Amino acid sequence: MIHDVRRAHRAHRVRFGACLAGLGLATALLTGCGGEDHSAEVAPIADELRGQPGVAEVEGFYTPQQLKVAESYEVDVRMTEEATSAQACAVLPRFLTAAEATGVDSGIISVTLRHGGPEDVYPYRWMYSLGADDGEPAELEQICLSLQRLRALPDGVSVNARAEGSHTYARIDFPEESVEDLAEARTLVADLMEVEVEDLKKPEVTGFDLRVDLVPA
């Protein structure tokens, strides 16, 4: 399972350096330079998302701070194939509220919202990853709703989106045999996004940085 935890690494790089300076390299190597364990505080986030309409499965993964490994808590939310766009995107404001309620540094907390079966592997049919500090609930929910339109793309196409701060990046991979060429792929995406093909690379129009690629079968 692929998760984007670079935010957590950036947020805790200074803390790790201070730990090394305070303990000395030899002691840090022996102790792992571990920080406070927040597993109990963040666990309720996954619990809050379970049982919501359209949610098939929720898993939470906590990694304590260690040598060269930043503390992180990642929540994987798998939606049912029948879940509506509104049901899927409603998960995000609930996640952000639950994350804030923990009192833990939001920079270590992230969520991946995805559609597909329990045995699916990355790249998923549709995936949107973001951190608890990547934006306001209404803004992220709106971006999610726009991305949900792309679920109507042909079978085999994968939509992989992630938020980083104020920017959202989306990559859409078409199997080469699913379209005649890249121009056809871009036209399909533009039609679903209700924008002109030439506007696909304009974040001010689509709401995010969008890339469309062809990949070998």
Side-chain angles (χ1 to χ4, degrees):
M1 187 173 296
I2 303 297
H3 295 279
D4 186 5
V5 296
R6 283 173 289 181
R7 284 181 297 272
H9 283 273
R10 288 196 299 268
H12 291 271
R13 192 175 296 147
V14 173
R15 181 190 300 178
F16 175 70
C19 179
L20 282 178
L23 294 177
L25 180 58
T27 304
L29 289 172
L30 290 173
T31 63
C33 201
E36 184 178 352
D37 189 313
H38 295 105
S39 56
E41 290 96 321
V42 296
I45 299 175
D47 294 336
E48 178 67 23
L49 303 181
R50 293 187 177 99
Q52 298 304 310
V55 172
E57 184 180 19
V58 180
E59 293 184 272
F61 304 91
Y62 178 75
T63 302
Q65 185 183 352
Q66 308 167 48
L67 187 65
K68 295 186 179 181
V69 178
E71 181 184 26
S72 65
Y73 182 64
E74 305 163 62
V75 184
D76 183 79
V77 181
R78 182 174 64 83
M79 305 300 297
T80 65
E81 281 301 316
E82 298 76 22
T84 66
S85 296
Q87 288 173 336
C89 298
V91 169
L92 299 182
R94 188 174 289 272
F95 159 76
L96 294 169
T97 299
E100 184 177 10
T102 66
V104 175
D105 177 11
S106 61
I108 74 166
I109 304 171
S110 62
V111 67
T112 294
L113 183 67
R114 63 186 178 93
H115 291 270
E119 303 303 322
D120 287 359
V121 296
Y122 180 87
Y124 302 114
R125 166 72 170 153
W126 186 97
M127 183 180 84
Y128 182 28
S129 298
L130 56 92
D133 58 352
D134 276 330
E136 296 300 319
E139 176 188 9
L140 293 172
E141 187 174 10
Q142 187 56 52
I143 291 174
C144 176
L145 289 170
S146 295
L147 289 167
Q148 281 279 312
R149 298 178 184 179
L150 302 175
R151 289 176 60 198
L153 288 169
D155 289 343
V157 177
S158 64
V159 178
N160 181 356
R162 75 184 191 282
E164 286 190 4
S166 60
H167 298 283
T168 295
Y169 303 89
R171 173 170 175 162
I172 306 171
D173 287 335
F174 283 77
E176 287 181 335
E177 77 279 4
S178 66
V179 288
E180 289 292 330
D181 51 29
L182 193 55
E184 181 185 356
R186 289 173 175 158
T187 298
L188 289 172
V189 173
D191 288 346
L192 289 174
M193 296 296 301
E194 298 181 352
V195 300
E196 299 297 327
V197 172
E198 56 267 28
D199 289 334
L200 284 179
K201 292 186 177 182
K202 298 178 181 179
E204 65 273 19
V205 176
T206 63
F208 36 81
D209 289 299
L210 188 62
R211 176 176 176 178
V212 181
D213 284 322
L214 297 182
V215 295

